[in-house]
Amino acid sequence: MGAPINTPWILCGNFNNGLNTENRIRQPVTAREIQGFQEMINNLQLTPLRSTGWYFTWCNKQPVASRVYSKIDWALGNFQWLKQYRHIEADFLNPGVSDHSPILLRFFQERRLHPKPFKLFSNVMEHPEFHAILSRNLFDKENEILVEIDKWGSIEDQALTQKSRANWIMYGDTNSKYFHAQLNIRHSKNTITSIYIDTGIKLTDPMHVEAEFIAFFKR
C-alpha cells in the first residue's frame, strides 16, 4: 500500500485506463470502467503530477472516422514526492511514431512577476486545526498564520474538498499529509509556467509568457 510508505515514490507509464469520463473521445467511458483505477489511486494515496503537453496521451491512429483518443498514460506521486519535488512536472511529448506520448519529467521554476492576491475561502475555516492555529499565533506569529491560510486556500472547487474529506475518513490521521498534497498539486496546476505560440515554439520564461498573453489579447 502507498499510504505507509514514508519515502518519495512515483509511478509513470501506461495504465491503460482513465480517471474520469473526459479522458477519452470517440468512445464512451463507463463509471465501472474507471472505478478500479480510481480506487487504486485513493488507496495508495497518489496524485497525478502537474502536466503539460498533450492531454490525450494515446491514439489508435485509425482513419478519422474511427479514430479514438485517450488519456491512459499518467505520472503519479505520493505526498513525500510532491513535498520534495514540487517543482517537477510531467511533460507529455509528441507521440511521433508511437501511439503513446513519451513522458518527460522536468523541473519548472515558479516565478511570479506580480504579487499574488490574498484570498480566504470559507471552507478553510472548517479545517479542524484552523482555530487552534489562529489562537496560538494571533499575537506573535501573524506571518506563520498567513502561510498556513495560503496553504489551505488553494481549494477552488467543492469536488476536491469532498474527495479529500472522504479519504480523510477512510484513512484517518495519515490523510493530513494526503490532504495537503492535494492542495499543493492544485496550487501548482493553477500556475502557468509554459505556453506554445502559433509557430509551435514553447515559451517558458515568465516575461515571454506574459508578453505573449498581452500581445494575443491586443490582437
Side-chain angles (χ1 to χ4, degrees):
M1 297 292 289
I5 296 179
N6 295 319
T7 57
W9 67 300
I10 186 173
L11 299 176
C12 295
N14 172 24
F15 290 85
N16 201 32
N17 220 320
L19 284 173
N20 57 65
T21 56
E22 297 178 354
N23 289 159
R24 188 167 65 207
I25 58 176
R26 292 291 179 88
Q27 281 187 359
V29 178
T30 64
R32 183 176 180 181
E33 180 181 352
I34 61 180
Q35 181 179 0
F37 190 36
Q38 289 176 333
E39 290 178 352
M40 185 203 78
I41 298 298
N42 292 335
N43 290 338
L44 298 182
Q45 296 191 1
L46 297 171
T47 302
L49 270 62
R50 170 194 171 90
S51 63
T52 59
W54 289 68
Y55 178 79
F56 295 105
T57 62
W58 176 85
C59 175
N60 61 0
K61 294 195 173 183
Q62 296 297 314
V64 175
S66 56
R67 189 171 302 170
V68 177
Y69 295 91
S70 297
K71 181 172 180 57
I72 56 178
D73 300 88
W74 300 87
L76 310 167
N78 66 344
F79 166 76
Q80 285 75 15
W81 174 275
L82 297 176
K83 180 179 179 181
Q84 186 170 341
Y85 304 107
R86 179 176 177 179
H87 298 301
I88 298 291
E89 65 183 8
D91 194 0
F92 292 89
L93 307 179
N94 190 324
V97 297
S98 173
D99 53 358
H100 289 268
S101 294
I103 305 175
L104 174 65
L105 298 182
R106 72 178 186 89
F107 173 85
F108 73 91
Q109 185 174 5
E110 187 176 5
R111 294 167 52 192
R112 295 188 179 275
L113 300 180
H114 309 287
K116 181 181 178 181
F118 174 79
K119 296 180 181 179
L120 175 61
F121 294 89
S122 59
N123 52 8
V124 171
M125 293 181 286
E126 298 177 6
H127 192 283
E129 299 180 7
F130 177 79
H131 292 288
I133 292 176
L134 189 63
S135 299
R136 185 168 63 247
N137 299 278
L138 182 60
F139 297 105
D140 58 347
K141 295 185 178 181
E142 292 184 1
N143 289 334
E144 291 184 16
I145 294 176
L146 295 178
V147 170
E148 293 295 329
I149 291 176
D150 182 64
K151 180 166 61 177
W152 293 332
S154 302
I155 306 178
E156 292 190 2
D157 58 44
Q158 191 65 22
L160 177 61
T161 307
Q162 294 299 330
K163 177 181 177 182
S164 299
R165 286 176 177 171
N167 281 286
W168 230 332
I169 294 173
M170 183 179 299
Y171 294 105
D173 293 339
T174 60
N175 277 279
S176 294
K177 295 181 179 180
Y178 182 74
F179 181 80
H180 288 297
Q182 296 289 331
L183 301 188
N184 286 337
I185 199 67
R186 178 75 181 190
H187 173 71
S188 68
K189 286 181 178 179
N190 289 338
T191 303
I192 298 176
T193 58
S194 62
I195 61 172
Y196 286 92
I197 60 177
D198 294 339
T199 58
I201 298 176
K202 186 176 185 178
L203 303 180
T204 57
D205 185 280
M207 296 187 65
H208 295 163
V209 171
E210 181 182 273
E212 182 63 24
F213 271 107
I214 294 175
F216 173 83
F217 285 107
K218 283 185 175 179
R219 293 195 300 268

